[in-house]
Amino acid sequence: MTDPLDAFIDSLQEKIFDEARHTFGKSGFERWRNPRYRGRLDNFDVHARVTGDCGDTMEIFLKIDNDRVSEASYMTDGCGTSNVCGSFAAELAIDKTIDELADITGESILANLGHLADDEQHCAFLAAGTVQEAVRIHMTKPVVSCQ
Ligand code: FES
């Protein structure tokens, strides 16, 4: 016999998953369940932090080797959607040159996600804006000379 509490929890979890599938679509749902690239990089070269109008903060960490992103990660104190968008932003940044990072926009994150409810789409623009802030920080770093 099934424990009523277990049955309630299973049903609640299925309801939450159904809502997440509706919000994110298939690939976004998988990313929501497994938000890759989350956490602070140990040896990052660039760190950007941006707080959106919603009050949530997104952080992007980049490790750069020979003008190309070798590792990227994100952190956020925001909602599940901001986690999904941060995860896609970090994934899109990996292997890109600094110049190519300009191609990471809210639209490109949304295109990779596949589906996002209209009222959640600003999360993708916060993630993209944080990548662009990382580029700005990197480009304005003082050059260290060895002479
Ligand atoms: Fe703030 Fe998504 S609600 S980033």
Side-chain angles (χ1 to χ4, degrees):
M1 187 170 131
T2 307
D3 183 314
L5 181 59
D6 287 346
F8 171 74
I9 290 170
D10 288 348
S11 139
L12 186 61
Q13 185 173 52
E14 212 33 62
K15 186 172 179 216
I16 291 168
F17 284 2
D18 282 347
E19 286 176 10
R21 280 188 200 96
H22 177 74
T23 300
F24 302 128
K26 188 172 183 298
S27 92
F29 175 73
E30 294 306 323
R31 192 59 63 98
W32 176 73
R33 295 268 286 144
N34 178 25
R36 300 163 65 194
Y37 312 109
R38 184 167 64 185
R40 180 188 179 96
L41 285 182
D42 285 339
N43 297 312
F44 62 86
D45 296 301
V46 187
H47 169 228
R49 179 198 308 251
V50 174
T51 298
D53 292 341
C54 61
D56 295 337
T57 297
M58 180 71 68
E59 297 180 71
I60 292 284
F61 301 85
L62 301 176
K63 175 91 180 111
I64 298 169
D65 294 309
N66 296 321
D67 208 39
R68 190 174 287 276
V69 176
S70 58
E71 293 179 67
S73 72
Y74 81 95
M75 289 175 56
T76 183
D77 61 3
C79 57
T81 307
S82 57
N83 269 281
V84 170
C85 292
S87 178
F88 276 106
E91 181 172 85
L92 287 170
I94 294 169
D95 287 335
K96 289 218 170 28
T97 65
I98 298 300
D99 287 347
E100 290 169 344
L101 289 176
D103 296 340
I104 298 176
T105 61
E107 288 85 354
S108 69
I109 291 172
L110 290 171
N112 275 271
L113 217 159
H115 168 78
L116 194 58
D118 287 354
D119 61 348
E120 308 267 349
Q121 293 191 359
H122 66 277
C123 309
F125 288 86
L126 175 60
T130 311
V131 172
Q132 299 315 317
E133 175 64 2
V135 171
R136 187 195 67 73
I137 290 169
H138 180 71
M139 301 295 272
T140 56
K141 269 185 176 176
V143 177
V144 178
S145 169
C146 297
Q147 296 176 10

